[in-house]
Amino acid sequence: MVKRVLAIVFILIIGLWMAKALDQVPFGEDRMLVGKYYLEHVKEETGAVNAVTAVVVNYRGFDTLGEVTVLFIASTGVAALLWKKRKERSAKTEGSVVLTTGARILLPFIMLFGAYIFIHGHLTPGGGFPGGATIATAFLFLYLTFTLYEVDHKTFEPLEGLAGIGYVTVGLIGLAVGGYFLFDWIWQTWGVGKENIGRLLSAGFIPIIYTLIGIKVGTELTGIIDNMIKEPEEGGQ
Amino acid sequence: MSQYASLLIALPLFSAFLIPILKKVGKNLVMPFLVLTTLIQTGIAAWVFNEVYTSGEPIIIMAGGFKPPVGINLYIGYFAALFILIVAVASFLMAVFSIKAVKVEPQDKYAMLFLLLMLGATGMIATGDIFNLFVFMEITAISAYALTAYNKTGKASEAALKYVVLGGIGSSFFLVGVALIYGSLGTLNMAHIAQLASIVNPTVAKAGLALLIFGLAVEAELFPLNAWAPDAYQEAPHPITAVFSAFVVKASLYAIGRILYILSASEGWNSVLSLLIIMGTLTVVIGELSALRQTNVKRMIAYSSIAQVGLIAVGIALGTQKGLDASIFQMFNHAIVKVLMFLAVGYAALELGGPEMENFKGLGKRMPITAFGITLGAIAIIGIPLFNVFWSKMQLIMAALEAEKTGVVALILGASLVEMVYYVRLIHTIWFQGDGDKIRENSALALVMLLLITFIILIGIYPQPFWNIMQKAGSDVFNVAEYIKNVPLVGVSS
C-alpha cells in the first residue's frame, strides 16, 4: 500500500514537472522551421504528392533504413532466442468450416490490399510499413486457421535478406551516380516521370523502396509469428 | 570522395542482410564472413581516420544529398573518426574471439546481430541529427537485448528481460525529450539546435536535456539505471561482454556529452551538469563497492567497468575542455584494457569451465599468457605509472583541480584504492594459489592479447602523441561554435 502511494506521488511529481515544460511549448503555434521547407519543396525535389512519404524516404531516408534494420533485428533476435532444431505447431484442433472457407476467400483480398498500400505510398496515406504489416496479417490468418500451415523457410529467409540488400543497393547506386548515399538517382539524375506527378509512375525511387520495405516487413513479421507459434518437438533439441 | 565514408554504415548493413543468403550456400562460411566484414570495416575506418586527421576537416555525409537541417547529416570529426576506428578494431578482435567462444546455435543469427550492434554504435557516434541518434540507439539496444539472452539459459533470459524493460523505459524518455526539443525549436539537427540554443526556453531546455540524459543513461550504465548491467555482462557470450564495455557504453557516453554541449548556451545548463556529476559519482561508488565482494571474476570486472564509466561521466560533466579531453582519453584507454581483460577472462572461463574465482586458482601456471593478460589489464586499470590508464586518470585529476572540484579528485583516488584491493586479490589467486596442468593456448587469441598488451605499455610510455589526438577529439565536442560552422546549414528561416 505504501509502495503504491509512493509510486503515485512520484508519478504525479514527474507528470507535473513535464507539464510545466510542455506548458512552455504552446499548442497550435507555428513551429514549422524545417517543416515549411518540406511542404514547399516536396513536389519538385522528390515528385511525391504524399509529403510524409517524401520526408520518410527521401529527406530523412536514413532513419527509415534504420527502422527497417530495427525490425530486422527484432525478427532475427526472436529467431535466435527461440531457435530449436525441430519444431512443430502446437495447435491441436482444426477451425470450423466457416472459418477455413472464409480465410480462403479473404486471403487474396488482404494480400492485394497490402500490395496496393505499399505500391501507392507516394500518393495515398500508408507506405511500406502498413502495407507489409497487412501482408503479415494475411499469413497470421493462415497460421490461426489451419493447424498444419507453415511458410516455406527456404524462400522466406533469403527473401527477407534480399529485400534489405535491395534497399542498401539502391542507396549505394545513389552514391555512385549522384555522389550521396541514398541519393534519389531515378528522380534527380534521370528525371523519370517528371510530367507525371500525382500518378503511379512518379516520385523517383519511393515506390521501389516502399515495395522492398513492404516485402521485408511482411516477411519479417511473418517470421516472428512463425517462430513464436511453434513448440519444440518431443526429444528435439 | 569523402561521401564514400557512408560505407561505414552501408557495409555492415549490407553484410548483415547478406548472411541469410550466405547461409543457404554453406553454413561454415558465416563466421569467416563475419571476420572478413569487420576487417574491411576496420580498413574503411582507418582510411576515414587518416583522412580526417591529415586534412583537419570533418567529413560531412549528407544522406540523400539534402543539406542539413532538411536532410540528415553524419558528422565525422576528430572524435567520431577516432571512436569509429575503435569500434571497428574492437569488433574485429571480438569477431576472431567469437569463432572460438560462440558454439551455441544459431551462429548465423549471432553474426547478423553482432554486425548490427557494431553498426548501431558507429551510427550513434557519427550522427549529427538528434532523432537519427535515437534510431541508432535503438539499433544498438535491441541487438544488445537479443545478444544478452543469446546463451538461452534461465539467467541469461532474466538478465535480458531486465535490460529490455529498463532500456524500453529509457528509450521512451529519450523520445519524449526529443519531442520537447522539436516542439520548442522546430528542428532536429544538432548543429541547428546548437545555433538556436541561446534562445530556447530555459524550462524546456532543462527538462528536455534531463530526459535525453536519463534515456541515454540506461545504455551508458549510469546509476540508478544500470541495474541491468552486471547481470547482462555476466550472462552474455564472452565477446559480447567485451563489446558492451568497449564501445556500446562509450557511444552512449559520447552521445550524452554531445547533446549536453550543443545546448551549453541555454540557461539552466549548469543544473544539468550537477545532475550528471551526482549520477556519475554514485555510479563510481556503488560500482566499486559492489566489485569488492564478488566471487565471479566476470561479474567483478563488470562492476569495475561500470565504475570506470562513472568516472568518465564525471569528467564529461566538469564542463571544461580539459575535463572532456581527459574523459575521452579515459574512454580510449578503458576500451583497450577492458577488451583485453574480458577477452582473457572469457577465454580462461571457456577453458576452465566457468568464470568463478575458484577456477582461476593456478591460472598463472596453466595458461601463462592469458593470466599475464588479466594481470597486466588489472595493473593498468588501477592506474599505475608506465601504463596507459595512469595518464588518463592523472589528466582527470588535473582537470578536476582546475575546475575546482576537489570532491571529484577524492572520488578518483578513492576509487583507485578500492580497485587496488580487489584486483590484487585476483592477481594473488591467479599466481600464488593452486596448481594444475598446462593448457595449450590458442595462438590467434594469444597474439591478440599480446598485441593489446603492447599497446597498453606503448601508450603508458609515450602518452604524448595519443594525448594530442585526445585533445583534438575533445575540442570537437567542446567547441560548439566550430561544430556549427562546419555543418553546411541551408538557410531555413523562421
Side-chain angles (χ1 to χ4, degrees):
Chain A
M1 188 60 200
V2 180
K3 248 186 186 170
R4 193 169 292 176
V5 172
L6 276 178
I8 291 173
V9 170
F10 189 59
I11 290 170
L12 280 178
I13 292 172
I14 295 181
L16 206 71
W17 176 66
M18 297 230 309
K20 234 176 81 189
L22 262 180
D23 190 41
Q24 307 295 321
V25 184
F27 183 75
E29 264 185 39
D30 189 13
R31 295 287 156 198
M32 304 265 281
L33 199 55
V34 182
K36 216 188 304 174
Y37 180 94
Y38 291 141
L39 290 182
E40 282 164 5
H41 297 78
V42 65
K43 271 193 194 163
E44 91 223 37
E45 283 189 357
T46 67
V49 183
N50 182 346
V52 177
T53 315
V55 172
V56 165
V57 179
N58 264 305
Y59 294 110
R60 300 183 63 89
F62 223 55
D63 282 343
T64 309
L65 188 58
E67 288 304 336
V68 171
T69 313
V70 167
L71 207 57
F72 180 72
I73 298 169
S75 132
T76 311
V78 168
L81 300 188
L82 298 176
W83 189 88
K84 287 281 185 304
K85 258 224 171 72
R86 281 182 300 169
K87 294 207 285 192
E88 63 172 14
R89 290 288 309 278
S90 51
K92 296 286 182 287
T93 44
E94 191 81 38
S96 72
V97 185
V98 180
L99 194 62
T100 49
T101 318
R104 270 178 225 272
I105 296 169
L106 271 177
L107 191 75
F109 288 103
I110 301 177
M111 290 273 196
L112 198 66
F113 184 60
Y116 164 80
I117 290 178
F118 66 66
I119 290 171
H120 290 79
H122 54 300
L123 303 173
T124 56
F129 288 93
T134 311
I135 288 188
T137 318
F139 283 105
L140 175 65
F141 209 26
L142 289 178
Y143 271 104
L144 291 182
T145 335
F146 300 98
T147 48
L148 289 174
Y149 181 76
E150 192 178 349
V151 294
D152 182 12
H153 292 272
K154 280 211 177 71
T155 50
F156 249 64
E157 278 176 27
L159 191 65
E160 182 186 335
L162 269 179
I165 287 180
Y167 194 166
V168 182
T169 310
V170 169
L172 286 176
I173 295 174
L175 182 63
V177 175
Y180 296 103
F181 186 52
L182 290 175
F183 183 76
D184 191 349
W185 40 285
I186 297 179
W187 182 259
Q188 301 202 24
T189 311
W190 291 2
V192 173
K194 284 256 175 185
E195 314 80 46
N196 225 4
I197 295 178
R199 292 161 187 252
L200 190 57
L201 289 177
S202 64
F205 69 12
I206 294 177
I208 297 178
I209 284 188
Y210 262 167
T211 307
L212 290 169
I213 293 179
I215 294 171
K216 196 159 167 55
V217 172
T219 48
E220 266 156 11
L221 293 179
T222 311
I224 292 177
I225 295 163
D226 178 73
N227 271 305
M228 287 192 155
I229 214 163
K230 287 173 172 175
E231 283 179 359
E233 216 171 88
E234 292 284 318
Q237 220 285 306
Chain B
M1 191 57 201
S2 64
Q3 290 295 323
Y4 281 88
S6 52
L7 286 173
L8 286 170
I9 304 292
L11 174 78
L13 266 180
F14 192 90
S15 310
F17 293 147
L18 189 67
I19 287 176
I21 300 162
L22 197 72
K23 197 187 78 181
K24 296 280 171 250
V25 180
K27 257 198 145 160
N28 299 329
L29 293 174
V30 172
M31 286 313 241
F33 179 73
L34 175 65
V35 175
L36 179 74
T37 310
T38 47
L39 185 65
I40 300 173
Q41 176 87 354
T42 310
I44 303 173
W47 168 71
V48 168
F49 179 81
N50 184 41
E51 195 89 335
V52 169
Y53 275 82
T54 47
S55 71
E57 294 283 317
I59 296 178
I60 311 285
I61 296 167
M62 285 176 271
F66 297 103
K67 286 211 162 143
V70 171
I72 292 174
N73 72 304
L74 301 187
Y75 181 95
I76 305 183
Y78 286 124
F79 182 94
L82 174 68
F83 270 79
I84 285 170
L85 185 61
I86 294 179
V87 170
V89 171
S91 303
F92 170 62
L93 296 180
M94 288 307 114
V96 173
F97 184 30
S98 299
I99 296 180
K100 173 99 183 127
V102 180
K103 298 281 186 221
V104 182
E105 284 291 328
Q107 283 177 335
D108 57 313
K109 307 277 191 260
Y110 173 85
M112 288 184 230
L113 292 169
F114 187 93
L115 280 176
L116 294 172
L117 188 66
M118 174 174 88
L119 165 89
T122 309
M124 276 178 84
I125 291 167
T127 190
D129 187 282
I130 193 169
F131 185 77
N132 198 234
L133 175 66
F134 172 75
V135 172
F136 277 118
M137 186 176 103
E138 285 295 277
I139 292 179
T140 317
I142 297 175
S143 39
Y145 304 152
L147 284 169
T148 303
Y150 186 78
N151 282 336
K152 298 195 262 292
T153 57
K155 277 187 171 176
S157 312
E158 191 194 325
L161 189 66
K162 274 187 199 168
Y163 191 5
V164 170
V165 172
L166 269 173
I169 295 171
S171 306
S172 8
F173 271 139
F174 189 90
L175 201 56
V176 174
V178 171
L180 262 182
I181 289 183
Y182 182 75
S184 76
L185 289 180
T187 182
L188 291 168
N189 189 280
M190 287 184 192
H192 204 190
I193 291 174
Q195 214 173 38
L196 301 172
S198 50
I199 58 158
V200 64
N201 183 303
T203 323
V204 175
K206 240 192 292 184
L209 252 182
L211 283 168
L212 291 177
I213 286 175
F214 251 74
L216 283 164
V218 177
E219 292 301 310
E221 297 166 15
L222 293 177
F223 185 80
L225 296 157
N226 58 1
W228 62 273
D231 288 348
Y233 274 63
Q234 189 183 332
E235 296 303 328
H238 302 305
I240 299 306
T241 311
V243 159
F244 277 167
S245 153
F247 62 69
V248 174
V249 185
K250 305 291 154 54
S252 324
L253 278 171
Y254 157 70
I256 287 182
R258 174 65 90 198
I259 289 182
L260 203 59
Y261 282 92
I262 57 170
L263 280 168
S264 60
S266 67
E267 273 177 72
W269 186 62
N270 280 318
S271 55
V272 181
L273 281 191
S274 9
L275 169 81
L276 193 59
I277 287 200
I278 293 170
M279 283 168 85
T281 310
L282 286 172
T283 312
V284 178
V285 172
I286 289 170
E288 296 289 17
L289 292 183
S290 312
L292 208 50
R293 42 184 286 268
Q294 296 306 320
T295 51
N296 182 315
V297 178
K298 214 176 157 192
R299 199 174 174 89
M300 186 179 100
I301 299 180
Y303 273 116
S304 150
S305 190
I306 291 169
Q308 301 294 322
V309 164
L311 285 184
I312 298 169
V314 170
I316 290 176
L318 285 177
T320 59
Q321 158 102 49
K322 196 91 193 297
L324 258 175
D325 296 347
S327 285
I328 290 170
F329 201 10
Q330 175 77 357
M331 272 156 112
F332 177 74
N333 286 332
H334 181 246
I336 301 169
V337 175
K338 278 290 147 74
V339 166
L340 171 67
M341 290 192 82
F342 278 116
L343 171 63
V345 168
Y347 181 45
L350 277 181
E351 295 285 351
L352 306 170
E356 281 76 33
M357 195 73 108
E358 287 288 295
N359 299 335
F360 278 68
K361 281 182 183 164
L363 188 75
K365 293 176 190 98
R366 303 184 69 186
M367 303 168 75
I369 301 178
T370 313
F372 183 60
I374 298 177
T375 312
L376 205 114
I379 294 174
I381 210 86
I382 298 168
I384 291 186
L386 287 184
F387 296 100
N388 57 356
V389 180
F390 168 73
W391 297 108
S392 48
K393 278 193 178 170
M394 194 68 211
Q395 292 293 352
L396 265 178
I397 290 174
M398 272 153 63
L401 281 177
E402 218 166 86
E404 290 173 347
K405 297 239 162 56
T406 32
V408 174
V409 179
L411 179 76
I412 298 167
L413 293 175
S416 306
L417 207 66
V418 181
E419 271 164 10
M420 181 102 106
V421 175
Y422 60 80
Y423 275 129
V424 166
R425 200 178 61 199
L426 174 68
I427 294 169
H428 182 79
T429 315
I430 290 176
W431 293 100
F432 302 108
Q433 281 182 2
D435 240 329
D437 302 327
K438 205 160 172 348
I439 296 171
R440 254 198 83 232
E441 287 164 285
N442 184 311
S443 50
L445 294 184
L447 195 72
V448 169
M449 281 187 256
L450 288 175
L451 193 80
L452 288 166
I453 290 170
T454 326
F455 209 51
I456 288 174
I457 297 175
L458 185 75
I459 302 174
I461 298 174
Y462 298 108
Q464 198 56 45
F466 295 94
W467 178 238
N468 290 342
I469 293 178
M470 302 310 147
Q471 280 175 316
K472 280 186 180 170
S475 69
D476 187 42
V477 180
F478 187 76
N479 197 341
V480 181
E482 191 73 14
Y483 179 77
I484 298 170
K485 213 180 74 195
N486 281 329
V487 179
L489 287 175
V490 72
V492 180
S493 52
S494 45

